[in-house]
Amino acid sequence: QVQLQESGPGLVKSSETLSLTCTVSGGSVSGYYWTWIRQPPGKGLEWIGYIYYSGTTNYNPSLKSRVTMSVDTSKNQFSLKLSSVTAADTAVYYCARDRSSHFDFWGQGTLVTVSS
Amino acid sequence: DIQMTQSPSSLSASVGDRVTITCQASQDISNYLNWYQQKPGKAPKLLIYDASNLETGVPSRFSGSGSGTDFTFTISSLQPEDIATYYCQEYDNLYTFGQGTKLEIK
């Protein structure tokens, strides 16, 4: 059973960069797409972007200018960086395995709060 | 951009009821539509993919149908453990989620 675990700071200052890592266990990052999704408190789901194990990326146009994703196959991890954060970026951030259509395995999510 | 409109936004039903949620796409997305269940404090869980295919291990009381712009998600007999928020998600053009339907027990 594939398992994903998000890790990173739970508090980020406004205008700084949010950095999260997703560690995959029970399977390999190789051969798959991997996605980040976020959910502001009490609101719906927003797709941030995906990365293929080879490093190819595709980002939500609304966030594209601030998002960078990377993958480390040797560590079985992939990462998200979101720059110039504001209070609007406060959310639970999920990583998930992306089957190019649906998301079949998800991490438990991690709350990131942007403080002023 | 494709817009996904779910209705209703909230729903109250009794155990044993048949429950239906709809999702409308702003343009034709063929059958590129999935349904997820999210319980409070938990990650979403895939229930239905490609509009009508039941994910492995998901109870058969859940079903989906539709194509083009109009889609339906049905719980044939509501169980207490089905209390959750349900989201549709398209993948015709990147990925867009509906705004969610919060399901409560009457």
Side-chain angles (χ1 to χ4, degrees), chain B residues 2-71:
Chain B
I2 297 175
Q3 307 301 317
M4 305 300 295
T5 304
Q6 266 183 255
S7 62
S9 56
S10 64
L11 174 59
S12 182
S14 300
V15 172
D17 282 355
R18 182 180 183 87
V19 171
T20 298
I21 298 169
T22 64
C23 186
Q24 185 171 58
S26 58
Q27 64 189 65
D28 189 333
I29 60 169
S30 185
N31 68 330
Y32 299 157
L33 192 284
N34 306 313
W35 291 94
Y36 298 84
Q37 174 193 66
Q38 186 179 33
K39 296 184 177 180
K42 300 294 187 181
K45 174 187 175 183
L46 177 68
L47 299 180
I48 303 287
Y49 63 94
D50 297 347
S52 60
N53 295 304
L54 195 66
E55 174 71 342
T56 301
V58 174
S60 59
R61 65 180 180 274
F62 297 102
S63 65
S65 64
S67 66
T69 61
D70 296 304
F71 302 86

Side-chain angles (χ1 to χ4, degrees), chain A residues 35-106:
Chain A
T35 259
W36 289 95
I37 291 164
R38 70 180 183 178
Q39 184 172 37
K43 296 188 178 180
L45 300 162
E46 179 182 32
W47 175 73
I48 300 170
Y50 68 65
I51 185 164
Y52 193 45
Y53 78 101
S54 64
T56 301
T57 57
N58 201 351
Y59 303 141
N60 187 324
S62 68
L63 298 168
K64 187 175 184 176
S65 63
R66 300 194 291 128
V67 173
T68 303
M69 294 182 184
S70 59
V71 60
D72 188 335
T73 55
S74 66
K75 294 183 178 179
N76 228 28
Q77 295 176 333
F78 59 102
S79 298
L80 167 70
K81 292 187 185 298
L82 182 66
S83 64
S84 304
V85 296
T86 69
D89 296 308
T90 293
V92 174
Y93 285 76
Y94 295 100
C95 57
R97 191 172 76 169
D98 181 345
R99 304 305 301 272
S100 301
S101 58
H102 57 272
F103 313 116
D104 56 357
F105 291 101
W106 295 63

Side-chain angles (χ1 to χ4, degrees), chain B residues 47-102:
Chain B
L47 299 180
I48 303 287
Y49 63 94
D50 297 347
S52 60
N53 295 304
L54 195 66
E55 174 71 342
T56 301
V58 174
S60 59
R61 65 180 180 274
F62 297 102
S63 65
S65 64
S67 66
T69 61
D70 296 304
F71 302 86
T72 300
F73 171 80
T74 300
I75 306 173
S76 59
S77 178
L78 184 66
Q79 299 302 302
E81 61 266 32
D82 299 336
I83 298 313
T85 299
Y86 293 85
Y87 293 93
C88 61
Q89 172 244 322
E90 66 83 22
Y91 59 95
D92 181 70
N93 177 33
L94 298 181
Y95 305 118
T96 305
F97 291 91
Q99 77 274 25
T101 296
K102 186 175 183 179

Side-chain angles (χ1 to χ4, degrees), chain A residues 1-20:
Chain A
Q1 177 86 345
V2 175
Q3 294 184 321
L4 295 85
Q5 178 68 58
E6 305 89 350
S7 59
L11 189 64
V12 179
K13 292 183 178 179
S14 183
S15 79
E16 296 189 345
T17 296
L18 176 160
S19 296
L20 295 173

